[in-house]
Amino acid sequence: MKKKLGILLSGRGSNFEAIADNVAAGKIPAEIAIVISNRPEARGLEVARQRGIPAICIPSKGLDRETYDRLVVAELKKREVDLVCLAGFMRILSPYFIREFPYRILNIHPSLLPAFPGLEAQRQALEYGVKITGCTVHFVDEGVDSGPIILQAAVPVLNNDTVETLSERILREEHRIYSEAINIVLSGKYRIEGRRVILLED
Ligand code: GRF
């Protein structure tokens, strides 16, 4: 049976779209079982519905972290999700959530971690003055953008870059490596040694 992906997002949803394109093209051997947003106005929800992908909002307002996460985990389990993909989901997951999906939650971050975790990573990189930045797909642990790294892609910072132009070029790489990382995890062709994710050859 096809593996099931659960996508969590809070906004635009371009990473979700890239994943959905690859699923539709048969480049990811899985189906998207559910898209969940904590924000009702997230564009990603609309995009999912237009594609006929089940999409729901579970509002987080006023709920403590674990109470909220219990609602989300219940929905993911109900849909028999195998792999959870955070795609611009603007919340930190509780230890409860992480325990329910051990090494089964991925995140994409727009910098070469461990540089520039947290918000506005592209702005942080530009202001710091690095010459190379990029993006990272990693397993989610209890920290902020801190779990074992699956894939990274480098993006040079150009003299005339603004946050917008740099973000745009990083985003193109995000769309490419997120699907690649999903395929690695679904294939099981890796092993984890401490913080290192060792990719295995065929
Ligand atoms: C991306 O830059 C991603 O790296 C970060 O949040 C942004 C989400 O963009 N975690 P989108 O909603 O996928 O377009």
Side-chain angles (χ1 to χ4, degrees):
M1 224 180 53
K2 271 196 176 165
K3 296 275 186 193
K4 294 187 177 173
L5 306 180
I7 310 274
L8 305 192
L9 51 75
S10 302
R12 183 177 56 183
S14 74
N15 276 286
F16 153 61
E17 274 188 283
I19 295 165
D21 283 345
N22 284 325
V23 166
K27 293 180 186 163
I28 297 176
E31 65 181 275
I32 299 176
I34 185 75
V35 173
I36 301 175
S37 171
N38 60 320
R39 296 187 183 150
E41 71 280 10
R43 174 183 168 272
L45 282 177
E46 195 44 48
V47 172
R49 287 179 188 134
Q50 278 164 11
R51 287 171 176 256
I53 297 170
I56 61 169
C57 176
I58 304 180
S60 49
K61 242 184 169 170
L63 300 180
D64 69 63
R65 194 176 305 289
E66 188 169 320
T67 306
Y68 181 73
D69 283 2
R70 283 183 183 275
L71 298 176
V72 175
V73 166
E75 186 65 35
L76 293 168
K77 299 262 175 184
K78 189 176 104 194
R79 308 269 176 171
E80 301 179 317
V81 163
D82 299 290
L83 185 62
V84 180
C85 301
L86 309 187
F89 188 57
M90 304 302 285
R91 291 180 59 84
I92 295 167
L93 304 190
S94 61
Y96 163 78
F97 195 143
I98 289 155
R99 276 197 309 271
E100 289 297 312
F101 287 93
Y103 291 100
R104 279 285 171 275
I105 311 170
L106 308 186
N107 182 42
I108 180 122
H109 183 75
S111 75
L112 292 176
L113 290 170
F116 313 124
L119 295 175
E120 297 202 80
Q122 304 94 329
R123 180 183 301 283
Q124 291 185 55
L126 200 59
E127 287 177 358
Y128 194 93
V130 293
K131 301 298 187 195
I132 298 174
T133 182
C135 50
T136 303
V137 183
H138 62 93
F139 287 110
V140 173
D141 66 8
E142 291 176 20
V144 176
D145 301 322
S146 61
I149 291 169
I150 302 163
L151 282 180
Q152 293 187 301
V155 174
V157 179
L158 307 179
N159 283 341
N160 55 0
D161 260 334
T162 60
V163 173
E164 289 71 33
T165 59
L166 180 59
S167 301
E168 223 270 314
R169 290 202 313 290
I170 294 173
L171 198 59
R172 265 184 260 151
E173 292 301 297
E174 294 185 34
H175 294 168
R176 186 175 63 76
I177 69 169
Y178 209 167
S179 292
E180 227 182 281
I182 290 169
N183 275 334
I184 289 168
V185 174
L186 290 178
S187 75
K189 289 181 188 152
Y190 64 95
R191 65 170 193 276
I192 299 176
E193 290 177 7
R195 285 199 47 87
R196 300 185 67 202
V197 180
I198 314 280
L199 306 185
L200 307 175
E201 302 302 323
D202 281 321

